[in-house]
Amino acid sequence: MKNSMNVQTICKRNETGTLDFYMTIKNNEIYLFTTKYFSYNIFKEYCNGKRIEDVFHNTKMYRHQKLKERIFRMAKYASYEYSLNLFEKNAIKERRHTDYDYEVA
């Protein structure tokens, strides 16, 4: 992950008892997904925002791990859709790609 961007994952509670997850980048919110499963512990963990780098650490709690994997997958889709360089792998590929113009003798 690039450390220069302040990217956070937040969740908001709906009236129907579901959680909406968003990714915030420079005060812009990008919708990620809605989960039907409501847990107060998950809501408390993500309601004020959690840095995207901290989301990707593994946990032994099954539902938390599945949620983190889904956040990671949707963040990758959003970064591709909105042309954001959130992941270093994309930036490295762009840096490595150089066009060499050789003259043929």
Side-chain angles (χ1 to χ4, degrees), residues 32 56 66 68-78:
L32 294 178
F56 303 127
K66 290 295 179 185
K68 289 179 178 193
E69 289 172 2
R70 188 164 184 196
I71 291 171
F72 178 67
R73 185 172 56 244
M74 296 307 290
K76 283 174 59 175
Y77 291 148

Side-chain angles (χ1 to χ4, degrees), residues 70-91:
R70 188 164 184 196
I71 291 171
F72 178 67
R73 185 172 56 244
M74 296 307 290
K76 283 174 59 175
Y77 291 148
S79 67
Y80 178 74
E81 183 177 337
Y82 293 101
S83 300
L84 303 171
N85 266 341
L86 297 180
F87 300 96
E88 288 179 329
K89 184 177 180 182
N90 294 341

Side-chain angles (χ1 to χ4, degrees), residues 27-62:
N27 297 330
N28 294 328
E29 286 187 354
I30 298 173
Y31 173 76
L32 294 178
F33 64 93
T34 300
T35 182
K36 294 179 184 177
Y37 175 74
F38 177 79
S39 169
Y40 184 73
N41 292 334
I42 293 172
F43 175 71
K44 189 170 65 173
E45 185 176 350
Y46 290 97
C47 69
N48 294 326
K50 189 170 185 178
R51 291 185 64 218
I52 198 88
E53 292 90 359
D54 297 336
V55 171
F56 303 127
H57 297 291
N58 291 335
T59 181
K60 292 181 181 179
M61 298 175 69
Y62 179 74

Side-chain angles (χ1 to χ4, degrees), residues 11-23:
C11 75
K12 297 179 182 178
R13 187 170 25 185
N14 282 340
E15 298 171 357
T16 59
T18 59
L19 294 175
D20 291 334
F21 283 85
Y22 296 91
M23 185 171 57

